[in-house]
Amino acid sequence: MSSSLQAALDLVVRDLASTGGITLRVLDEADDDPLYESVWLLSGRRARTGLLAPRFLAADERVVHVADQVQEFVLEELGRLGMPATWPECPEHPESHPLEVRLADGGPSWVCPKAERTVARIGQLG
């Protein structure tokens, strides 16, 4: 796994850990694809999904791309566990909706989709 993919995953996993989300493991998958890197995301329940990261994206775009895929996996896992699928939960609208991943305010961010306001940079929740 490249250092840029590892850095993007580290930011999202930090947010997951600081907000009480599911346990997530990342397994590197060696590949020779010149356009994409891939890793496996595994939950504590052994559910898994593949994550594809284009090699050509700029660093901030890569973080947004990775965070979006991790968030989708977490939301699906929360649903399977019978828990509210609102990760990360919007602090302005609790028990309502998750924050959205966007490139906003000069960097990869978690944004409230109702207020259209940046809540935190990715990696700085909690």
Side-chain angles (χ1 to χ4, degrees), residues 86-106:
T86 56
W87 183 83
E89 185 173 59
C90 179
E92 291 184 23
H93 308 100
E95 301 178 18
S96 173
H97 60 84
L99 297 172
E100 290 183 356
V101 179
R102 295 191 194 160
L103 195 55
D105 296 329

Side-chain angles (χ1 to χ4, degrees), residues 58-72:
D60 284 351
E61 292 172 331
R62 191 175 187 117
V63 171
V64 168
H65 183 82
V66 167
D68 186 57
Q69 289 183 73
V70 171
Q71 182 184 35
E72 187 168 326

